[in-house]
Amino acid sequence: HTISFEIYPTGTINEWSTILRFNTNEENCVKHGDRSPLLHFHANTLNLCIKYGKDGAGEFNYGIEKVPTALTKFQWSKIDLVVQNQGAKDESVIVVFINGQF
């Protein structure tokens, strides 16, 4: 699937700030579908974090902990999140484009 949107950040806060979150259930982070996806900024930054919930013990997420390119304050950015299933439900490839750049 692909999720595309534009965002205009105006600042940072001292904790994670959720941008977008889809869930298939009422859970936070325990099994597949809990974060389908969760996109947020890390505290005090404009660095995106993208997570999907998954089943299993230990690590309950997969995704991109910190997208290498931070967004810019007071500037529109186009985000394209592309997820390609590679077979099993927890074997997906996540690619993020910011303003068309990988």
Side-chain angles (χ1 to χ4, degrees), residues 10-60:
T10 59
T12 62
I13 61 173
N14 294 329
E15 58 190 9
W16 288 3
S17 53
T18 299
I19 298 165
L20 176 74
R21 181 177 178 161
F22 294 117
N23 277 24
T24 59
N25 53 48
E26 297 296 322
E27 300 296 325
N28 177 36
C29 179
V30 186
K31 57 187 173 290
H32 184 77
D34 293 345
R35 298 172 172 180
S36 299
L38 163 66
L39 282 82
H40 66 86
F41 287 126
H42 281 280
N44 301 309
T45 76
L46 294 177
N47 292 100
L48 288 172
C49 176
I50 301 164
K51 295 289 185 172
Y52 281 78
K54 69 176 187 174
D55 294 326
E59 180 58 47
F60 297 119

Side-chain angles (χ1 to χ4, degrees), residues 85-92:
N85 189 333
Q86 301 297 307
K89 64 184 172 185
D90 292 337
E91 294 180 5
S92 297

